[in-house]
Amino acid sequence: MRKMSSPLRPKILIIDDEPLIRDLYDEILEAENYDRLQASNGAEALEIWNDQNTSPPFSLLIVDLKMPKMGGEEFIENIRKINSLVPIIMITGHGDLSQAYSLLKKHNISDFLQKPLKSYTQLLFSVKNALEKYQLHQELTTLNAELEQRVETRTNELQYAKNLAETANNAKSIFLSRMSHELLTPLHTIIGFAEIQKMSMTINTEKTNHNKTSDDTQSIEQILRAGDHLRTLISEILDVVNSDKKQNTTHLIDCNIDDIINNSITKISPMASNNNISLHYKSPVFHALTDENILSQILIHLLSNAIKFNSINGNVTISVEKENNGTIIISIKDTGIGIPTEELDTIHTPFKRLDYAEKKAIPGTGIGLTLANRLAKQIHGEIGARSTPNKGSTFWIKIPVIQS
């Protein structure tokens, strides 16, 4: 006997070989406004299930274990191959308890009841409990699917934005690289001709014993200074563009930190002399596994800033210490103008310059610290700073212990 069903209500399939039992369950469930269908054995129940494939699925199965043609256990095994989640309530006699317990664990059975039922409420309680759990599971499954879809959509959006940013960054790098090279070619020509002109004027001055520097010589000197300055700026831009390309070309070897610092001081000394800045360094010899060229570049950038932003007749002190864990810290302390607290967090931003540097027309592009910071990451290092306005700043680089 089959009942008409509504897609708006839970649909329950009652499977029992005794018509009176089926009708009794049907009457109990009808009072709770459930849709019901009946089957007299497992084979008939499977036919009904397959007939319902195009309709709303069953919300619950009530299955008797002992039935002709196809018993409850065989039916459950078949239905679990089709649907692993639909709730099942087994109805069993007193002699089938061990079988019921076995199926309960094996096939995710919601509950089992013994014949005869003690009361109608026993069946209703089991049905309501199974349906509530199933509905909750369905809701969680739906929410999880929606969440996964949102995550996937957001991930795709972020990946698309990341790809756009990388494309734009690559285009920017290519543009800067090409433009810098295009600028360097004529610049080298200008500087070269200016140097030739300067040498020619020097020779003519010596021949005529004319010691006074002419206006032309002063003009040539201005060209050379401006050319050198522009060449430095272009080289810094190229360094920033190329810094990402060199991520995989780091050569970590055992280095004498003292030698690297002394070589860096030698390179920066002419700049310090021109600005009347005294350089001070005395340190014990330490060794570290690092890239000598990269560490030297970092120190040059930090020393250059310490000189440019120093006070008249100021000092730059380089010191080295080794922490208990083996990390080496190289500190560069100046006696300059310092950095305002509100600007300290932005010093690594590309092309970001201090207000003081703009007002005093201190030469630079604002990418020296950016480049130094990128280079430090390549050797697994870290750059930090502390500063007191009008007293000076201290920049340091930490070189961690790296196993060879």
Side-chain angles (χ1 to χ4, degrees):
M1 180 179 180
R2 303 190 180 186
K3 305 285 185 179
M4 295 299 292
S5 63
S6 167
L8 301 178
R9 296 179 294 181
K11 185 164 59 175
I12 300 174
L13 178 58
I14 304 169
I15 310 166
D16 198 298
D17 60 326
E18 298 184 34
L20 291 177
I21 296 294
R22 293 199 306 270
D23 289 342
L24 175 62
Y25 295 166
D26 189 279
E27 184 178 347
I28 295 172
L29 296 174
E30 182 181 21
E32 297 297 323
N33 206 29
Y34 295 126
D35 285 338
R36 295 94 49 216
L37 283 84
Q38 295 183 17
S40 60
N41 56 66
E44 183 182 353
L46 282 177
E47 290 181 7
I48 295 174
W49 178 279
N50 292 329
D51 288 343
Q52 294 294 316
N53 279 340
T54 56
S55 302
F58 286 102
S59 304
L60 177 66
L61 306 177
I62 300 177
V63 184
D64 184 24
L65 277 183
K66 298 296 184 180
M67 294 181 292
K69 292 186 179 180
M70 181 185 291
E73 182 175 358
E74 185 179 354
F75 167 75
I76 291 172
E77 289 178 350
N78 279 279
I79 208 67
R80 280 297 182 234
K81 295 176 182 177
I82 303 171
N83 188 306
S84 61
L85 298 176
V86 62
I88 298 176
I89 297 176
M90 291 189 306
I91 306 294
T92 179
H94 287 290
D96 303 323
L97 289 181
S98 60
Q99 182 185 14
Y101 281 122
S102 175
L103 293 175
L104 190 69
K105 298 177 181 179
K106 183 178 179 182
H107 294 298
N108 189 27
I109 305 302
S110 300
D111 196 3
F112 77 91
L113 303 175
Q114 288 183 292
K115 292 180 180 179
L117 299 180
K118 295 179 180 179
S119 66
Y120 298 157
T121 56
Q122 184 182 11
L123 176 64
L124 288 177
F125 177 81
S126 183
V127 168
K128 289 180 179 180
N129 186 53
L131 287 175
E132 286 177 0
K133 289 181 179 179
Y134 184 59
Q135 182 181 3
L136 179 60
H137 182 273
Q138 294 293 87
E139 290 175 355
L140 289 175
T141 301
T142 301
L143 288 174
N144 186 59
E146 291 177 355
L147 180 59
E148 288 180 352
Q149 182 60 46
R150 290 181 184 178
V151 170
E152 182 180 356
T153 301
R154 185 56 179 160
T155 300
N156 292 335
E157 291 174 350
L158 291 174
Q159 184 61 47
Y160 178 71
K162 180 176 180 288
N163 292 339
L164 284 180
E166 288 178 349
T167 300
N169 187 59
N170 290 336
K172 177 205 70 177
S173 297
I174 293 172
F175 171 77
L176 288 174
S177 180
R178 288 179 179 175
M179 286 301 298
S180 297
H181 284 295
E182 290 297 323
L183 289 171
L184 279 176
T185 300
L187 180 60
H188 286 153
T189 302
I190 294 171
I191 293 175
F193 277 116
E195 289 176 342
I196 293 173
Q197 192 69 19
K198 180 182 177 182
M199 290 174 60
S200 177
M201 289 181 177
T202 301
I203 292 171
N204 291 334
T205 300
E206 291 176 351
K207 286 182 179 180
T208 59
N209 293 319
H210 186 61
N211 296 325
K212 185 178 180 181
T213 303
S214 66
D215 292 339
D216 290 340
T217 303
Q218 292 179 359
S219 298
I220 294 297
E221 291 286 357
Q222 289 180 348
I223 293 174
L224 289 172
R225 283 195 296 270
D228 284 336
H229 176 61
L230 183 56
R231 181 164 53 188
T232 300
L233 298 185
I234 295 174
S235 296
E236 286 184 351
I237 293 175
L238 284 174
D239 286 340
V240 171
V241 171
N242 293 328
S243 62
D244 289 333
K245 299 178 183 178
K246 296 177 182 178
Q247 289 289 341
N248 298 320
T249 58
T250 303
H251 301 290
L252 301 177
I253 60 174
D254 183 63
C255 297
N256 186 317
I257 300 300
D258 186 63
D259 288 345
I260 297 175
I261 294 175
N262 281 319
N263 290 335
S264 301
I265 291 174
T266 300
K267 293 176 182 178
I268 206 71
S269 289
M271 180 181 180
S273 297
N274 292 335
N275 289 270
N276 296 320
I277 302 297
S278 299
L279 300 176
H280 306 277
Y281 169 63
K282 184 178 181 180
S283 173
V285 177
F286 289 125
H287 284 255
L289 196 65
T290 188
D291 187 301
E292 180 177 353
N293 291 329
I294 290 180
L295 181 56
S296 179
Q297 289 183 63
I298 295 170
L299 293 176
I300 292 294
H301 283 295
L302 297 181
L303 287 169
S304 175
N305 278 354
I307 292 170
K308 286 191 297 185
F309 293 94
N310 216 317
S311 57
I312 299 174
N313 299 320
N315 296 287
V316 173
T317 303
I318 305 100
S319 59
V320 184
E321 61 180 312
K322 193 171 187 178
E323 296 184 332
N324 292 334
N325 62 3
T327 298
I328 291 177
I329 304 176
I330 304 174
S331 300
I332 298 174
K333 181 180 180 181
D334 64 56
T335 55
I337 59 173
I339 303 172
T341 304
E342 63 273 13
E343 295 189 61
L344 199 56
D345 292 334
T346 64
I347 56 176
H348 296 298
T349 304
F351 305 104
K352 171 68 176 179
R353 304 196 69 213
L354 300 176
D355 292 339
Y356 178 88
E358 297 291 345
K359 293 176 182 178
K360 296 295 183 179
I362 297 175
T365 58
I367 56 179
L369 284 177
T370 301
L371 180 58
N373 195 46
R374 292 186 182 182
L375 292 172
K377 291 178 181 178
Q378 289 187 32
I379 57 174
H380 310 288
E382 175 190 355
I383 288 180
R386 61 177 177 269
S387 184
T388 303
N390 301 318
K391 289 188 178 181
S393 304
T394 300
F395 281 80
W396 67 84
I397 174 170
K398 290 186 177 181
I399 306 171
V401 178
I402 303 173
Q403 298 299 325
S404 58

